[in-house]
Amino acid sequence: MFDLQEAYVLTKAGSKGSKTYQVMIVNPFGDFALLSHVSYQENQEIAFKINDFINSGQTSLLVHQNQRNYLFFLSLFILIIMAIAAYFATSPVTICTFYKSIDKVFIERKSWRGNKIIEHPLENILRFDIQEKQYKSA
């Protein structure tokens, strides 16, 4: 970047009162933004370093920022979502079909691991209970 003029910390207010901070570097071509998702103190330190560089006789400045913490949580969230999706995708589905015309019941279990069909005569079934599981959200 050529002809740096100043650096400042831009505060952006988000929904529900959340705030994000970003270092902005001003040059004749406009404002250039550095990484966000860094604390205010870290951004303030970087802005001070850049402003000190602008006002000094130094020929170069190296500013290092990373988003490792942000990327770690993003990756963790994606892995959790993938694990939940894999669980639901591989869990079996059971279909019971009653045929009066041929006096049979077919219990079909489908999953990614394969399909299994169990066949029973209707006369062997004395009782049929349905048990539902209900989950309460806390």
Side-chain angles (χ1 to χ4, degrees):
M1 297 181 99
F2 297 101
D3 197 19
L4 299 178
Q5 296 171 353
E6 73 169 322
Y8 65 93
V9 178
L10 177 67
T11 303
K12 295 180 182 180
S15 63
K16 300 179 184 176
S18 65
K19 292 182 181 181
T20 58
Y21 306 100
Q22 196 167 22
V23 174
M24 303 296 290
I25 301 174
V26 180
N27 68 17
F29 303 108
D31 293 0
F32 177 77
L34 295 181
L35 295 177
S36 58
H37 305 293
V38 181
S39 71
Y40 179 79
Q41 289 80 15
E42 290 178 75
N43 279 323
Q44 193 68 36
E45 288 174 16
I46 290 172
F48 284 144
K49 282 182 186 179
I50 293 170
N51 285 328
D52 286 344
F53 168 74
I54 292 170
N55 297 324
S56 73
Q58 295 176 347
T59 57
S60 66
L61 173 69
L62 174 63
V63 176
H64 179 75
Q65 278 188 315
N66 67 56
Q67 292 180 326
R68 289 186 185 137
N69 292 339
Y70 176 72
L71 291 176
F72 171 75
F73 289 117
L74 179 64
S75 300
L76 183 63
F77 176 73
I78 290 171
L79 285 174
I80 290 170
I81 295 299
M82 287 175 55
I84 292 170
Y87 171 75
F88 284 117
T90 60
S91 61
V93 175
T94 303
I95 301 171
C96 295
T97 309
F98 294 86
Y99 292 104
K100 281 181 145 181
S101 58
I102 57 174
D103 286 331
K104 294 205 180 217
V105 175
F106 292 95
I107 302 171
E108 185 177 6
R109 291 197 172 117
K110 295 180 179 182
S111 71
W112 278 14
R113 291 171 235 139
N115 294 341
K116 183 178 182 182
I117 298 175
I118 301 168
E119 182 181 328
H120 290 287
L122 274 176
E123 64 228 22
N124 289 352
I125 297 176
L126 301 175
R127 196 171 103 196
F128 190 77
D129 293 326
I130 298 175
Q131 182 179 13
E132 290 186 31
K133 290 185 179 180
Q134 295 180 351
Y135 300 99
K136 294 181 181 178
S137 58

